[in-house]
């Protein structure tokens, strides 16, 4: 998508300028992770690329979402939980 292209361009520009980069993405998947690794390699960098997961309890996610100005709703939280957490157990 256009958003992903723009995001990867920003990541690349920051890496070129010598910045450490953190990609904070709820939907971070292997494809995006590999894109960041590819950018790192293309630039001739040998920086460590880490994927960190934060396993926040489902009930906490639902409670935090309910407090947001524009909540996504419990159905979305449950779907993402099944996609990213439950399926990996």
């Amino acid at each position: 998508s256009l958003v992903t292209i723009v995001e990867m361009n920003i990541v690349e520009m920051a890496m070129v300028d010598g910045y450490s980069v953190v990609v904070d993405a709820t939907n971070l998947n292997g494809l995006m992770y590999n894109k960041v690794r590819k950018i790192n390699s293309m630039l001739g960098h040998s920086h460590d690329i880490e994927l960190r997961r934060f396993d926040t309890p489902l009930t906490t996610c639902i409670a935090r979402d309910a407090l947001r100005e524009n909540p996504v709703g419990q159905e979305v939280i449950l779907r993402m939980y099944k996609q990213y957490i439950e399926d990996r157990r």
Side-chain angles (χ1 to χ4, degrees):
S1 76
L2 179 59
V3 171
T4 301
I5 292 168
V6 170
E7 183 177 32
M8 289 299 103
N9 284 336
I10 292 169
V11 166
E12 183 174 351
M13 289 187 306
M15 291 174 82
V16 165
D17 289 343
Y19 288 96
S20 295
V21 177
V22 174
V23 178
D24 177 16
T26 299
N27 296 307
L28 184 63
N29 56 36
L31 183 60
M32 186 174 288
Y33 175 73
N34 288 333
K35 286 180 181 182
V36 173
R37 291 184 61 190
K38 184 177 179 181
I39 292 169
N40 187 52
S41 178
M42 279 182 0
L43 295 174
H45 294 170
S46 59
H47 303 299
D48 291 334
I49 306 295
E50 291 183 42
L51 178 60
R52 292 196 178 186
R53 291 182 51 209
F54 298 92
D55 292 326
T56 305
L58 177 59
T59 54
T60 301
C61 294
I62 292 169
R64 287 178 182 172
D65 179 63
L67 297 174
R68 296 175 64 194
E69 186 174 325
N70 296 305
V72 297
Q74 183 172 333
E75 298 80 21
V76 173
I77 302 290
L78 288 170
R79 185 181 74 237
M80 292 179 76
Y81 175 82
K82 287 179 181 179
Q83 180 180 355
Y84 290 101
I85 304 297
E86 196 172 80
D87 290 348
R88 293 184 182 173
R89 290 187 177 164

